[in-house]
């Protein structure tokens, strides 16, 4: 009887901690726009959206205008501009919250076990606090999300016969 009670208590406590952790993640990811590069991304995203082409030269600089430029962040810039154009600054903040939340949810799913809920919650909180300075409206958050999606897909198929494919 006591063992069953403690198992239920452990499960309920773990569940409450998980809910608190994800509330905290959503709250802490919902911060003001602090990255000055965002305005460059918005301007170039606007240029790409209106002209339907990625610029090959620097179009915004006054000192090196016309210099060769490889814009490797063009897709992020288009996404950010269209979100900003449609939903304003709040749309960008909600995008940031959604990407951070999804990244943490996938990490949680990778390590979750009923037997070690507290360890998973503490580890995920440590990872979140470590990466929190990088969770700004920058292309980095998508890179981290896609890396976690890649690891998640590998983890799904690691025990299968056809995992090589």
């Amino acid at each position: 009887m006591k063992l069953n009670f403690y198992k239920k208590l452990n499960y309920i406590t773990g569940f409450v901690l998980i809910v608190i952790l994800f509330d905290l993640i959503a709250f802490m990811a919902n911060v003001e726009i602090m990255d000055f590069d965002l305005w460059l991304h918005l301007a170039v995203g606007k240029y790409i959206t209106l002209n339907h082409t990625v610029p090959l030269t620097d179009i915004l600089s006054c000192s090196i205008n016309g210099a060769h430029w490889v814009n490797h962040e063009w897709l992020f810039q288009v996404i950010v501009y269209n979100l900003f154009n449609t939903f304003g600054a709040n749309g960008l903040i909600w995008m940031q919250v959604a990407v951070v939340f999804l990244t943490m949810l996938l990490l949680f799913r990778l390590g979750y076990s009923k037997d070690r809920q507290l360890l998973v919650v503490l580890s995920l909180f440590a990872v979140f606090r470590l990466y929190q300075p990088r969770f700004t409206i920058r292309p980095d958050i998508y890179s981290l999300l896609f890396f976690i999606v890649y690891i998640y897909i590998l983890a799904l198929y690691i025990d299968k016969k056809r995992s090589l494919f």
Side-chain angles (χ1 to χ4, degrees), residues 97-157:
V97 170
V99 170
V100 170
F101 195 84
L102 184 59
T103 302
M104 291 293 129
L105 186 63
L106 286 173
L107 279 173
F108 172 75
R109 295 263 306 147
L110 275 170
Y112 179 73
S113 170
K114 281 185 179 181
D115 299 334
R116 52 189 168 137
Q117 288 180 345
L118 183 61
L119 178 65
V120 172
V121 168
L122 291 176
S123 300
L124 196 57
F125 181 72
V127 167
F128 177 73
R129 291 296 293 164
L130 180 69
Y131 284 110
Q132 188 182 6
R134 300 305 305 165
F135 284 141
T136 57
I137 304 173
R138 298 183 51 81
D140 304 4
I141 62 173
Y142 281 101
S143 298
L144 184 59
L145 173 64
F146 293 142
F147 178 68
I148 298 304
V149 167
Y150 176 69
I151 297 297
Y152 186 75
I153 291 171
L154 284 178
L156 285 177
Y157 294 102

Side-chain angles (χ1 to χ4, degrees), residues 42-147:
L42 286 172
V44 176
K46 180 178 181 179
Y47 177 87
I48 293 170
T49 302
L50 295 178
N51 296 310
H52 304 290
T53 184
V54 178
L56 301 174
T57 60
D58 192 345
I59 57 170
L60 298 174
S61 175
C62 65
S63 59
I64 56 171
N65 193 9
H68 181 70
W69 179 35
V70 178
N71 186 5
H72 61 279
E73 299 167 338
W74 66 270
L75 183 58
F76 172 78
Q77 293 164 345
V78 170
I79 291 170
V80 167
Y81 169 72
N82 286 311
L83 276 173
F84 184 76
N85 196 28
T86 306
F87 301 108
N90 286 336
L92 296 178
I93 292 171
W94 281 107
M95 176 208 63
Q96 174 181 321
V97 170
V99 170
V100 170
F101 195 84
L102 184 59
T103 302
M104 291 293 129
L105 186 63
L106 286 173
L107 279 173
F108 172 75
R109 295 263 306 147
L110 275 170
Y112 179 73
S113 170
K114 281 185 179 181
D115 299 334
R116 52 189 168 137
Q117 288 180 345
L118 183 61
L119 178 65
V120 172
V121 168
L122 291 176
S123 300
L124 196 57
F125 181 72
V127 167
F128 177 73
R129 291 296 293 164
L130 180 69
Y131 284 110
Q132 188 182 6
R134 300 305 305 165
F135 284 141
T136 57
I137 304 173
R138 298 183 51 81
D140 304 4
I141 62 173
Y142 281 101
S143 298
L144 184 59
L145 173 64
F146 293 142
F147 178 68

